[in-house]
Amino acid sequence: DQFQREFPTSVIAEGIDQTRGWFRSLMVIGTALFNKSPFNNVVVNGIILAEDGSKMSKSKHNFTDPMVLMNKYGADAMRFYLMASPAVKAEDMRFVDSGVDEVLKKVILRLWNSYSFFMMYASLDSFSPTGKLNSENLLDRWMLSKLNILTNDVTKALDSYDISLGARYLSELVDELSNWYIRRSRKRFWKSDDDSDKMAAYETLYYSLVTYIKLLAPYMPFVTE
């Protein structure tokens, strides 16, 4: 009964060098025994090369120990860098340490700074979200529109197993959240009076952060948790 429920599987993943091996063996056995493919979707990983384009080799020491990179930048930065790369589209990629650092600076730190900004002012004003998103402020409406587009685009990308495309959308949104929405809304949070525009900014930023981390979770499980 369990086999009938789980066969065929929704997706498998393996390196491109296994196309004639594991992939083919599964297909042959599945069709021979059950007359159908044992999997519905395939994510094929390309070959990860050293920075100079050569094959990674322990004897040459032409790569940084992954544990060193994860201890320095975090596992999520490494994970996102790989999932945003051509390697998840069956293409070769040159692994560059600075690429992991860039994810830390341009995605994780921007998200963390946005979260810290919200927490600082929300704590001062004892803000409690109501879920009401009826702001007339153009900045709020723009941000919510961007989030709706992002939700649609990332969902479509992941439903079709286009992992790197989803990562690109997520990278673009956190820049817009941090460098456009928050930067241009700062004065609204600084107001001493408890007016409707200030509350609308809080509601929008809270909703933006929660929605964004839900979409980011498959790429960065530790940071989003």
Side-chain angles (χ1 to χ4, degrees):
D1 290 342
Q2 181 180 354
F3 179 81
Q4 291 298 328
R5 289 195 304 269
E6 299 178 0
F7 183 88
T9 190
S10 59
V11 61
I12 62 171
E14 186 55 271
I16 195 169
D17 55 325
Q18 291 294 318
T19 303
R20 292 182 298 170
W22 192 62
F23 288 165
R24 180 178 178 276
S25 298
L26 279 179
M27 181 67 74
V28 169
I29 296 172
T31 52
L33 295 177
F34 307 103
N35 199 33
K36 60 182 176 181
S37 169
F39 48 85
N40 295 326
N41 299 278
V42 182
V43 174
V44 184
N45 305 321
I47 306 298
I48 300 178
L49 306 172
E51 187 171 352
D52 61 2
S54 63
K55 184 178 180 181
M56 286 186 175
S57 170
K58 291 182 179 179
S59 60
K60 294 180 180 179
H61 299 289
N62 58 348
F63 62 92
T64 305
D65 186 326
M67 292 306 300
V68 172
L69 288 174
M70 285 189 280
N71 287 331
K72 184 176 182 180
Y73 301 115
D76 275 349
M78 168 89 90
R79 178 185 175 95
F80 191 92
Y81 174 61
L82 291 171
M83 294 178 77
S85 76
V88 294
K89 301 187 74 172
E91 299 175 16
D92 294 348
M93 70 164 289
R94 297 187 181 191
F95 191 98
V96 182
D97 293 2
S98 60
V100 185
D101 180 52
E102 186 173 348
V103 171
L104 176 65
K105 293 176 179 176
K106 293 188 176 182
V107 181
I108 296 178
L109 290 183
R110 281 177 179 171
L111 174 60
W112 191 259
N113 288 339
S114 300
Y115 165 75
S116 298
F117 175 86
F118 170 79
M119 286 302 300
M120 178 173 63
Y121 288 98
S123 298
L124 288 173
D125 290 327
S126 300
F127 168 73
S128 180
T130 66
K132 295 180 181 179
L133 300 172
N134 53 1
S135 174
E136 294 298 322
N137 188 289
L138 191 60
L139 277 169
D140 295 340
R141 294 164 67 98
W142 173 81
M143 191 67 246
L144 293 174
S145 175
K146 283 288 185 178
L147 280 169
N148 288 332
I149 293 171
L150 177 73
T151 301
N152 182 65
D153 288 345
V154 172
T155 300
K156 283 185 176 180
L158 293 185
D159 282 349
S160 61
Y161 297 97
D162 196 341
I163 302 169
S164 59
L165 180 60
R168 191 186 79 193
Y169 291 142
L170 289 162
S171 297
E172 293 170 352
L173 193 281
V174 75
D175 174 61
E176 292 171 330
L177 175 65
S178 175
N179 293 329
W180 285 87
Y181 178 73
I182 292 179
R183 184 171 293 181
R184 284 153 183 79
S185 296
R186 285 182 182 275
K187 291 182 179 179
R188 301 168 65 196
F189 295 95
W190 294 343
K191 295 177 181 177
S192 57
D193 52 330
D194 186 18
D195 68 355
S196 59
D197 184 60
K198 182 179 183 179
M199 289 299 104
Y202 272 130
E203 293 284 358
T204 301
L205 182 52
Y206 174 80
Y207 177 81
S208 299
L209 288 168
V210 171
T211 301
Y212 184 78
I213 63 173
K214 287 180 180 179
L215 295 169
L216 185 64
Y219 293 88
M220 294 189 179
F222 300 115
V223 170
T224 53
E225 181 67 24

